[in-house]
Amino acid sequence: MAQIDIQNVQKFFGQHQVLKDLNLTIEDGEFVVMLGQSGGGKTTALRAIAGLETVTSGKILINGEEVQNRKAADRDIAFVFQSFSLYPHMTVRENIAFPLRAVRMNAADRDRAVKAVAETLQIAQHLDRKPSALSGGDMQRVAIGRALVRRPQALLMDEPLGVLDAKLREQMRAEIKRLHIARGSTSVYVTHDQIEAMSLADRIVILHDGVLQQVGAPDQVYLQPTNLFVAKFVGSPVMNVSDVRIDGNNVRLNGAEAGFRFPDETLSTVRHAEAGLTLGVRPEAVLLAHHQGEGYVPVVTTNIEPLGSHDIVDVQLGGTVLRSRTASGFVSGEGQQVWVRLDPAQAHFFDKATGLNMRGAN
Ligand SMILES: Nc1ncnc2c1ncn2[C@@H]1O[C@H](COP(=O)(O)OP(=O)(O)OP(=O)(O)O)[C@@H](O)[C@H]1O
Ligand SMILES: [Mg+2]
């Protein structure tokens, strides 16, 4: 069990600053997912927690004790890498037992611990095989087993499902979540896959360029992104964005002749930005209709992506293509005239210069 506290952590590789004043508290038993683009600093942050990387300055505390100067072996934290990194010449049993040999646990206890963890992970039948005889999913189960066998205070996972195919990822994702709940352990998980992050996390931490962008529950990050980077990084298809002008209650997209009428309740919560505003609306907030109606603007469909459960329909308005999530078959083809409205309750306004969300108190 562990609470992990990261305080003012800076990390430089030479002149290159990779972590910029990172502050984060991970509660005991929490499942935290670090999400971000390649090079954002996710792996570096995880390795710093584990002690596989030193920090340039700042503190890392585990259960209130400073550990930033302690070796990895003295932090009681386990780490699962993307690339399995199993010992190919050892059997599954020997691979899982390896960390227990390192602490000189006796053979009987070792055997018991290995069996227990293998049963939890449903790989007991493979204990006498070599890793090369296993499927990708089973190899990753062995890697997780090896990390868990010492009953670490916290389990850190760096893109552990990265090399698996989509179906197996989905299955392993559910297993990792179940394991986390069953063990009551503290888990920190790195991914650049936002669906994986949404489905696993109690809280998501979004890192970009070494700077923490937002920390929050999945729905919070999705519904109330603090800035345009988070808004565009989370959600698929990506949020629609366009420069806008607000005149009274009229919200007009870049280059469009007609505007959308937004109510006072919405516009009164939007703060002024000197540089102007960027509007952000997710595809589910772009509402299409077959007939003219209050607040609707006429548009023509330009592309349709049928996805089975729903369609993504593109419409052109001024210089902007808006992507709308509609019921399957709602629109029959390209070049069709429809009407569009934006749901003001789900509209975001960002400062064009800073990207900050200018709605409400955030
Ligand atoms: N040992 C190192 N020496 C020098 N630079 C490094 C080292 N490790 C990482 N970096 C740099 O630090 C930055 C952050 O890397 P990091 O691996 O933490 O990102 P990441 O978010 O995990 O990316 P990815 O999604 O690609 O795994 C990158 O610019 C990387 O080139
Ligand atoms: Mg990485």
Side-chain angles (χ1 to χ4, degrees), residues 42-43 158-159 190:
K42 305 180 296 295
T43 295
D158 191 0
E159 309 224 21
V190 162

Side-chain angles (χ1 to χ4, degrees), residues 13 16 18 36-45 53 158-159 190 192:
F13 286 113
H16 182 193
V18 175
Q37 282 172 339
S38 191
K42 305 180 296 295
T43 295
T44 306
E53 197 71 73
D158 191 0
E159 309 224 21
V190 162
H192 55 252

Side-chain angles (χ1 to χ4, degrees), residues 29-69:
E30 200 176 17
F31 200 122
V32 163
V33 176
M34 289 194 190
L35 178 66
Q37 282 172 339
S38 191
K42 305 180 296 295
T43 295
T44 306
L46 208 61
R47 289 174 60 85
I49 295 171
L52 300 171
E53 197 71 73
T54 58
V55 298
T56 308
S57 65
K59 292 179 184 173
I60 296 175
L61 294 89
I62 297 178
N63 294 329
E65 275 183 55
E66 284 187 33
V67 299
Q68 68 273 8
N69 298 320

Side-chain angles (χ1 to χ4, degrees), residues 215-286:
V215 183
D219 61 337
Q220 198 178 0
V221 167
Y222 186 82
L223 297 171
Q224 299 162 335
T226 51
N227 61 35
L228 192 55
F229 176 80
V230 174
K232 287 174 77 172
F233 195 71
V234 175
S236 174
V238 58
M239 183 185 274
N240 296 291
V241 296
S242 170
D243 290 351
V244 282
R245 287 183 65 95
I246 304 178
D247 292 314
N249 287 80
N250 192 39
V251 174
R252 197 149 49 86
L253 269 53
N254 189 24
E257 286 187 10
F260 298 100
R261 252 193 99 70
F262 271 44
D264 289 339
E265 305 94 270
T266 304
L267 293 179
S268 63
T269 63
V270 179
R271 284 170 290 142
H272 174 76
E274 211 54 61
L277 292 166
T278 301
L279 173 75
V281 273
R282 295 202 184 278
E284 63 268 30
V286 178

Side-chain angles (χ1 to χ4, degrees), residues 149-329:
V149 74
R150 278 182 63 185
R151 299 200 150 266
Q153 298 200 67
L155 179 60
L156 311 186
M157 292 166 271
D158 191 0
E159 309 224 21
L161 308 182
V163 299
L164 305 181
D165 66 54
K167 228 183 171 68
L168 197 52
R169 281 176 81 114
E170 215 174 293
Q171 184 193 343
M172 287 294 292
R173 194 163 88 197
E175 286 181 25
I176 285 174
K177 184 82 188 219
R178 204 161 44 237
L179 205 64
H180 165 83
I181 293 167
R183 292 228 158 196
S185 58
T186 304
S187 303
V188 190
Y189 187 104
V190 162
T191 182
H192 55 252
D193 178 337
Q194 48 114 3
I195 296 182
E196 207 163 279
M198 300 287 277
S199 71
L200 283 171
D202 293 320
R203 282 190 306 159
I204 296 177
V205 173
I206 295 168
L207 268 180
H208 178 52
D209 249 350
V211 178
L212 197 155
Q213 306 287 315
Q214 185 166 6
V215 183
D219 61 337
Q220 198 178 0
V221 167
Y222 186 82
L223 297 171
Q224 299 162 335
T226 51
N227 61 35
L228 192 55
F229 176 80
V230 174
K232 287 174 77 172
F233 195 71
V234 175
S236 174
V238 58
M239 183 185 274
N240 296 291
V241 296
S242 170
D243 290 351
V244 282
R245 287 183 65 95
I246 304 178
D247 292 314
N249 287 80
N250 192 39
V251 174
R252 197 149 49 86
L253 269 53
N254 189 24
E257 286 187 10
F260 298 100
R261 252 193 99 70
F262 271 44
D264 289 339
E265 305 94 270
T266 304
L267 293 179
S268 63
T269 63
V270 179
R271 284 170 290 142
H272 174 76
E274 211 54 61
L277 292 166
T278 301
L279 173 75
V281 273
R282 295 202 184 278
E284 63 268 30
V286 178
L287 310 173
L288 298 189
H290 288 300
H291 305 287
Q292 169 75 302
E294 174 79 32
Y296 281 85
V297 170
V299 283
V300 172
T301 61
T302 57
N303 189 45
I304 298 172
E305 269 180 22
L307 296 175
S309 61
H310 62 277
D311 292 348
I312 300 297
V313 177
D314 294 356
V315 296
Q316 177 95 31
L317 183 59
T320 307
V321 172
L322 288 172
R323 313 201 78 197
S324 168
R325 186 186 162 116
T326 66
S328 301

